[in-house]
Amino acid sequence: MAGRRIGIVWNPAKTEKDDLVAALPDDPDLSVSWYETEEDDPGKSAAEQAIADGAEVVIAAGGDGTVRAVAGHLAETGANVDLGIVPLGTGNLLARNLEVPLNDLEAAMDRAITGTPQSIDMGWVEITLPDGNEHQPFVVMAGFGIDAHMITETNDDLKDKAGWLAYVESLGRAVSASDVMEIKLSRPASRSTTSRHTPSSSATAAPSREASPCCPTRIPPTASSTSSSSRPTGSPAGSTR
């Protein structure tokens, strides 16, 4: 662990603060500050405030959206701060990649605070929209078309009750609402292939094995540690799956 000043960015829709407090190790030397996420800001502003307050480890306690937002802010600002993960979502994709304990707040919190930090890759996607461009981070994969539509269509209440099955329900609506278009993928050697994909006006860091068991991601050896304390790195031009 980089230090004893801990900032916890937590999603109040996923758990009660008292549960997280109870999961903290009994260590009088720990200095813990709390930062709630908001519905329209899943963690960027909270992470920014945690860093400004001097946190040496920022723990993202929430789902994939919270983890992505916090990791993206740390990477984009180049903050000398480590990232810890307490997975509370449906997919918990990056947590699965790093073998962070699931459904065990105490174990995940202990790993986040006492684990040895390792670097992981951070990718960025530029999205061109009618009202301007967006710059979005991802830590496992980026999705568009049916993939993105499925995520935006997923019912949060159903996710809480049915878990991954909620994505199956939303997939049907995504397929019926999508069109098919041709896209051309060009390689540096001037070779190109034409494929078919469904368009969408949105892009998301969609579930995989951030990672689901179905879609493994490639992580450098230094990032394959089982520690849940990580330091996201990367440049806007980077891309990983």
Side-chain angles (χ1 to χ4, degrees):
M1 186 185 67
R4 290 293 187 182
R5 302 183 69 176
I6 312 297
I8 299 180
V9 175
W10 67 289
N11 183 346
K14 298 296 185 181
T15 191
E16 298 292 333
K17 179 180 176 181
D18 288 346
D19 293 334
L20 294 173
V21 172
L24 287 168
D26 186 15
D27 185 343
D29 293 330
L30 283 182
S31 173
V32 181
S33 300
W34 300 86
Y35 308 87
E36 280 192 36
T37 65
E38 299 179 2
E39 188 173 352
D40 60 349
D41 186 345
K44 180 178 179 179
S45 296
E48 183 177 24
Q49 188 59 54
I51 295 170
D53 290 344
E56 296 163 289
V57 178
V58 175
I59 297 175
D64 294 327
T66 301
V67 173
R68 185 174 72 91
V70 173
H73 182 71
L74 297 186
E76 187 169 34
T77 59
N80 186 27
V81 175
D82 295 328
L83 168 69
I85 301 172
V86 174
L88 300 172
T90 303
N92 301 311
L93 305 177
L94 181 59
R96 292 178 189 273
N97 261 299
L98 301 177
E99 299 182 5
V100 176
L102 303 177
N103 304 314
D104 189 335
L105 290 180
E106 234 177 88
M109 192 72 79
D110 182 68
R111 287 274 296 280
I113 293 174
T114 65
T116 302
Q118 301 288 338
S119 294
I120 63 173
D121 288 330
M122 167 67 67
W124 297 89
V125 60
E126 296 284 349
I127 310 168
T128 301
L129 300 172
D131 57 349
N133 294 342
E134 286 189 5
H135 183 64
Q136 295 287 347
F138 61 95
V139 287
V140 174
M141 64 174 286
F144 64 99
I146 288 178
D147 182 69
H149 201 164
M150 177 185 71
I151 300 302
T152 58
E153 286 286 332
T154 302
N155 183 286
D156 288 338
D157 291 336
L158 185 59
K159 277 205 305 182
D160 291 339
K161 297 175 182 177
W164 277 95
L165 290 177
Y167 294 121
V168 177
E169 187 270 342
S170 64
L171 178 60
R173 291 197 302 277
V175 171
S176 63
S178 298
D179 296 322
V180 176
M181 64 178 285
E182 289 191 352
I183 61 174
K184 182 168 288 188
L185 305 178
S186 298
R187 297 190 178 98
S190 298
R191 294 176 296 169
S192 64
T193 60
T194 300
S195 63
R196 297 174 72 80
H197 199 92
T198 53
S200 173
S201 60
S202 62
T204 67
S208 71
R209 182 180 158 257
E210 222 174 32
S212 74
C214 70
C215 309
T217 184
R218 296 183 181 275
I219 299 179
T222 57
S224 61
S225 164
T226 58
S227 169
S228 64
S229 184
S230 309
R231 179 168 296 166
T233 61
S235 68
S239 177
T240 62
R241 283 187 66 87

